[in-house]
Amino acid sequence: MTSFKLVPGLNAVTGDEGSGKTRLLRQLCETHADAAWLDLRLPEHNEKTPEEVWAQQKNASPHWNVALCSDLCEALALNEHLGKQLFMLSAGSRRKVGLIALLACGARITCLDQPFAALDSASIAVLCEFLNDVKDDATRSWVVADYEADPRLDWAQVVSLDSV
């Protein structure tokens, strides 16, 4: 595993396709008991509704934030899709379901794998606002893997896998 010192706040892990970003996130979750990662495409949840996905994540997350889940659902315009199974949703809406599951889970380390992919600009703005709001929480680390570090976010550190 590529080693880096995980710090509180926002940690960017950047790199080209195949550089190991997703592998690093999975390994973080395997080596830290209070870490969360999901494949945001949610391929194994096609027949479930968003609420069923969140209920499953809530059962695995002792610090689940019910109010935050509800607030994010509204902010990301998912309320009209709550009764639909995931296979009926667009790629962006499916990813929003996964993002809400991760953002509301309350894990000490939350890993977001290409969180902006397939999102509309309003949803990207909501996600950036959320991440910038939580960046100063000294008890949590957010690891965002993407091709580059988004300049709208106030990163505590940026680790490039291309230079390793």
Side-chain angles (χ1 to χ4, degrees), residues 2-141:
T2 300
S3 63
F4 70 97
K5 182 174 175 27
L6 190 62
V7 298
L10 300 180
N11 296 264
V13 175
T14 65
D16 290 332
E17 194 72 34
S19 63
K21 298 180 300 291
T22 299
R23 182 175 55 248
L24 177 77
L25 297 183
R26 287 180 178 166
Q27 289 175 335
L28 279 171
C29 288
E30 290 170 3
T31 58
H32 293 84
D34 194 12
W37 173 86
L38 287 173
D39 179 341
L40 293 177
R41 297 170 298 159
L42 301 172
E44 70 281 6
H45 297 291
N46 279 331
E47 303 301 319
K48 293 180 182 171
T49 65
E51 290 170 316
E52 290 170 332
V53 172
W54 298 329
Q56 183 177 345
Q57 186 71 27
K58 179 182 177 182
N59 288 337
S61 304
H63 304 293
W64 181 263
N65 188 327
V66 173
L68 179 59
C69 180
S70 178
D71 290 348
L72 287 169
C73 186
E74 184 173 333
L76 294 171
L78 275 179
N79 284 329
E80 66 186 74
H81 301 298
L82 294 182
K84 298 177 184 175
Q85 293 173 304
L86 292 191
F87 76 86
M88 304 167 96
L89 301 180
S90 68
S93 291
R94 286 176 72 103
R95 291 180 71 84
K96 290 180 204 180
V97 172
L99 283 168
I100 290 171
L102 286 172
L103 300 179
C105 77
R108 192 177 63 76
I109 301 168
T110 304
C111 300
L112 304 173
D113 199 354
Q114 295 185 308
F116 303 111
L119 295 185
D120 56 89
S121 60
S123 297
I124 291 171
V126 168
L127 181 56
C128 286
E129 180 180 359
F130 175 88
L131 290 172
N132 279 323
D133 284 350
V134 298
K135 69 178 174 27
D136 294 325
D137 184 343
T139 65
R140 299 196 57 197
S141 297

